[in-house]
Amino acid sequence: MKLRLGSKGENIAGYLFLLPFLIIYSMFMLYPIVRGFVTSFHKVSISMESTFIGLSNYTQMIRDKYFWEALWNTFYFVLISTPTLIIVGLTLALIVNANLKGTTFLRSVYFLPFVLSISVISSIWVFILQPYTGLLNTFLHKMGVVSEIFWLDEPTLAWISILIATVWWTVGFNMVLFLAGLQEIPEDLYEAARIDGAGTWRQLVSITLPSLKNVMLLTVVLQTISSFKLFGQTYLMTKGGPGTSTRTLVQYIYEKGFIERDMGTASAMSYVLFVVTILFAVIQFKFFTNKD
C-alpha cells in the first residue's frame, strides 16, 4: 500500500528535510549578517556592552582618512588583479584544451596551488621574494643583476609581489571555469571555420570568445568579489606595508574590530564594502547585458 501525501504534503515533507540545514544556515550565516548590521549602529565596549549611537560610526568612518586609503588600495588591487587573472586563466585554459601530449599533467600543475591554504602560499612567496637569500634575488644575481631588490619593502614592488602570489594561487580556478566553457563549444563550428579559411586568431575572436560570454561574466564577477575580499596575502606578506600602502579594507576592518576593539565602526565598514561589491557586480552584469 503506497502512502500518497499530495502536493501539500510533499511540500511539508520537503521543508522538514530542509529544516536542519535552514537552522544551521540561519545560526551561522543569516544571524551574523543581521547582528553585524545592528552592531554598526552601536558603540560596543570591551565588555561587549553596546550603546545605540545611530549613524555616528558611519560618520566617523567617513572622516577617517585611513578608511579611504584602505578602500582605494582595495580598488587598486581589483583593477590590476581581475584583468590579469582573467587573461592568464583563459590563456591556460586554451593551452590545456589543445590536443597536445601532457595536457592532463598541465591541468593538475596549474590547479594544484589552489588547494593550498593562504598561509602556505604566503610563506612560499615570502621565502622566494626575501632579500639577500630569497630564491628570486639569488636567480637575478646569477643573471647579472647586482643591486639587491627589496620586493616587499617598496609600494609598487609590493603590489606586484602580491599580484604574482595571488595569480599563482588562484588562477587554476579560473582556468577550470574557462576549460569547462571551451569543452562545451561544438567542434563543428571550428571545422566549418577552417573550411572557410579562418585562421587561429579569427576562430578565437569569432567563435571562442563569443561562446564564452556567459562563462566570462561568471568569472569576472566571481574574481571581482574575491579581489574585494583581499586580506591574507597583504596581511601575511607585507603586514599592509610598507607603511599602510598595501593595507586593504578587509585588513583595516580586522584591525578596527579585533585589535582596536571598535566593533561598531568595523561593522559599518563591512557593510560599506558589501554595498560597493554588490554595485560592482551589478555594473558588470549591466555592461555584459548591454554588449549582448
Side-chain angles (χ1 to χ4, degrees), residues 4 8 12 23 56 76 86 97 103 170 172 175 178 244 279:
R4 297 184 178 180
K8 187 175 182 180
I12 294 175
I23 293 174
S56 296
Y76 179 71
I86 296 300
N97 191 54
T103 52
T170 62
M175 179 202 70
F178 282 122
T244 56
L279 287 176

Side-chain angles (χ1 to χ4, degrees), residues 110-281:
Y110 293 150
F111 186 77
L112 185 60
F114 186 71
V115 304
L116 301 176
S117 66
I118 182 58
S119 58
V120 173
I121 296 298
S122 300
S123 299
I124 291 172
W125 280 98
V126 168
F127 170 75
I128 293 174
L129 299 170
Q130 63 185 344
Y132 304 111
T133 59
L135 184 63
L136 181 55
N137 276 345
T138 301
F139 173 76
L140 292 176
H141 290 331
K142 292 184 180 295
M143 295 296 293
V145 178
V146 179
S147 59
E148 199 69 30
I149 300 177
F150 295 86
W151 293 96
L152 301 177
D153 295 331
E154 197 276 325
T156 302
L157 291 178
W159 276 120
I160 293 174
S161 302
I162 293 168
L163 176 62
I164 293 173
T166 303
V167 170
W168 185 75
W169 180 34
T170 62
V171 73
F173 179 73
N174 292 346
M175 179 202 70
V176 170
L177 292 178
F178 282 122
L179 182 60
L182 288 172
Q183 293 179 346
E184 290 294 323
I185 302 175
E187 185 62 29
D188 296 344
L189 297 178
Y190 293 105
E191 292 180 1
R194 285 191 289 268
I195 292 174
D196 290 338
T200 303
W201 176 253
R202 174 54 62 185
Q203 293 177 36
L204 175 65
V205 173
S206 301
I207 299 176
T208 305
L209 294 181
S211 300
L212 290 175
K213 63 178 184 245
N214 292 329
V215 178
M216 184 75 69
L217 173 59
L218 173 65
T219 309
V220 169
V221 172
L222 291 178
Q223 187 56 60
T224 301
I225 294 173
S226 178
S227 296
F228 267 113
K229 297 189 297 180
L230 176 68
F231 171 64
Q233 298 93 303
T234 57
Y235 187 73
L236 295 173
M237 292 177 64
T238 65
K239 298 294 183 183
T244 56
S245 59
T246 60
R247 182 169 63 180
T248 59
L249 187 53
V250 174
Q251 182 179 340
Y252 191 42
I253 291 170
Y254 166 79
E255 294 173 358
K256 273 286 182 183
F258 295 99
I259 297 178
E260 300 180 20
R261 301 289 184 179
D262 189 356
M263 292 292 182
T265 304
S267 298
M269 291 180 182
S270 299
Y271 276 90
V272 169
L273 177 61
F274 171 75
V275 171
V276 170
T277 305
I278 293 298
L279 287 176
F280 261 71

